[in-house]
Amino acid sequence: MNFAIVGCGVIALTHAKALARLPEETLYAVCDIIPEKADAFAKEHGAKKVYYNADDVMNDPDVDIVCVCVPSGTHGEICIKAAHAGKAIVCEKPMEITPERMEEVVREVEKAGVKMQCIFQRRLMPTAIAVRNAVREGKLGKICLAHADLKYYRDQAYYNSAGWRGTWDQDGGGALMNQGVHGVDLILWMLDDKVDTLYGQAYTLARDIAVEDTASALLHMKKGTLCTINAATTAYPGFSTSFAIHGEKGSVCFNDQGIVSWDFIDENDAPVRPDAGERVGGSKSNTDITIDGHVALLHDIAQALRDDRPVMIPPQDAMDAVRVICSIYRSTKEQAILKL
């Protein structure tokens, strides 16, 4: 399959490295509106074609799959262009920055009948999969309390490095929408539940940006669970993202390095503890992330095209985190508990 990367910023490097690990796939084309950036990226990663306009990518009949690596606020625009051109799509997180724009993307993708993969690579962590299965199988019993602590560190230089960072119209938010969206998605996915009500507080406390650098929220899930989410880009030097789920029959806690605790009252009924030494990264730097999840998701969409089957994370399954984050912003603005 011939892949084209649209947008040659930081995350594009992760996509290029992931494709280099997939011998059956080809980084065929790259595109950026800054010509010298596109030229340098193509040369470094051996892309055959270089484009400076996304429309030219879509008009190339040899492009099979488009990787959308532009700023968050333009994800939908490029995804819709690709869908109209009949291209398969890989979209970086978040798919879009408002529920309305996400719904437009889903409508156009469904109408075009193309495959679209959304990047939430933490869902592929063996521990996260084991926790989700334990919840679904009732191994933890009634889930009472859950936590996601997403304490990143990004200094002012990070926000100054690109004009779109830390803006509402292109970044869509800050510590929650850019960095924390992975963790918000993961805790909701593991709980396998929907939010009933929430109360959020999201503020700019330390950085010179328009969006939040520090946030906290309390979610009441439909099945009764109380879930707290803490997110920041002000937590020096950046801490391993951590998750905890406490049920009447036991508790599981893990972070970017692996399992912290895996405790069940009835050991005979406990799920098998996954033997996974995991390193995800990203809390200290936006370049300090592993590529294993991207490798798996890019391989999956290529194989899904060959086999004509669904992808792992279609856009319909990737909307909850953004909906919740936007509701936290609205709760902050209105100083109100929101019913979702």
Side-chain angles (χ1 to χ4, degrees):
M1 294 292 170
N2 284 338
F3 284 74
I5 294 177
V6 177
C8 295
V10 173
I11 198 61
L13 180 60
T14 300
H15 285 247
K17 288 180 176 178
L19 288 170
R21 292 245 304 259
L22 296 169
E24 293 183 359
E25 323 308 342
T26 301
L27 176 51
Y28 167 79
V30 301
C31 174
D32 199 281
I33 58 174
I34 302 173
E36 56 269 27
K37 199 172 180 180
D39 291 341
F41 197 90
K43 183 177 180 181
E44 180 180 357
H45 299 286
K48 180 179 178 181
K49 295 279 189 177
V50 184
Y51 294 111
Y52 312 125
N53 186 305
D55 291 336
D56 295 332
V57 175
M58 309 311 167
N59 290 331
D60 187 334
D62 291 326
V63 172
D64 300 306
I65 303 169
V66 175
C67 293
V68 179
C69 298
V70 294
S72 303
T74 50
H75 282 178
E77 174 189 343
I78 304 302
C79 287
I80 290 170
K81 283 179 183 287
H84 290 172
K87 311 296 186 186
I89 306 159
V90 175
C91 185
E92 264 300 330
K93 59 76 187 170
M95 177 180 28
E96 250 297 352
I97 58 175
T98 70
E100 295 77 18
R101 284 156 71 170
M102 288 191 302
E103 288 162 9
E104 182 184 10
V105 171
V106 171
R107 279 197 307 271
E108 295 304 316
V109 166
E110 289 179 342
K111 190 188 302 181
V114 299
K115 298 186 188 300
M116 178 171 168
Q117 182 89 280
C118 294
I119 298 291
F120 276 127
Q121 70 270 25
R122 284 180 178 269
R123 292 190 188 185
L124 276 66
M125 295 170 63
T127 301
I129 294 169
V131 172
R132 177 175 163 90
N133 289 338
V135 169
R136 294 182 117 186
E137 293 166 7
K139 298 294 186 180
L140 286 156
K142 175 74 173 177
I143 307 300
C144 302
L145 196 62
H147 306 286
D149 285 321
L150 319 168
K151 298 174 182 177
Y152 293 76
Y153 182 73
R154 298 290 186 268
D155 61 14
Q156 189 62 44
Y158 162 82
Y159 290 106
N160 295 343
S161 68
W164 66 275
R165 295 193 187 282
T167 64
W168 285 113
D169 63 334
Q170 288 294 292
D171 217 350
L176 282 166
M177 187 67 82
N178 189 308
Q179 289 78 23
V181 67
H182 281 296
V184 176
D185 172 76
L186 193 65
I187 194 72
L188 296 174
W189 183 74
M190 291 189 297
L191 288 173
D192 193 30
D193 197 0
K194 298 291 184 182
V195 178
D196 184 34
T197 61
L198 68 74
Y199 179 70
Q201 296 280 273
Y203 298 106
T204 312
L205 300 181
R207 302 287 171 254
D208 183 18
I209 53 177
V211 299
E212 88 287 354
D213 58 23
T214 310
S216 186
L218 173 63
L219 283 54
H220 182 216
M221 310 301 290
K222 289 190 179 297
K223 296 176 185 176
T225 306
L226 291 179
C227 175
T228 61
I229 295 172
N230 296 308
T233 52
T234 51
Y236 181 81
F239 295 84
S240 179
T241 54
S242 60
F243 304 87
I245 296 179
H246 305 285
E248 60 179 340
K249 294 182 180 180
S251 297
V252 293
C253 308
F254 67 97
N255 59 27
D256 290 345
Q257 282 70 50
I259 295 170
V260 176
S261 63
W262 189 268
D263 300 302
F264 292 80
I265 294 173
D266 184 354
E267 294 183 358
N268 294 323
D269 190 46
V272 175
R273 176 179 172 136
D275 183 18
E278 296 163 310
R279 179 187 171 277
V280 178
S283 62
K284 298 177 188 293
S285 166
N286 61 321
T287 60
D288 179 33
I289 61 173
T290 56
I291 66 169
D292 294 350
H294 281 77
V295 172
L297 289 170
L298 295 185
H299 172 71
D300 178 69
I301 191 169
Q303 203 57 46
L305 281 174
R306 295 185 181 103
D307 299 341
D308 191 23
R309 61 162 174 80
V311 300
M312 283 186 185
I313 310 177
Q316 296 87 344
D317 293 350
M319 296 196 285
D320 283 351
V322 171
R323 285 187 178 129
V324 166
I325 289 167
C326 288
S327 296
I328 292 170
Y329 295 154
R330 185 160 68 90
S331 175
T332 303
K333 184 178 179 179
E334 298 177 6
Q335 290 293 293
I337 298 172
L338 299 185
K339 176 83 173 175
L340 270 64

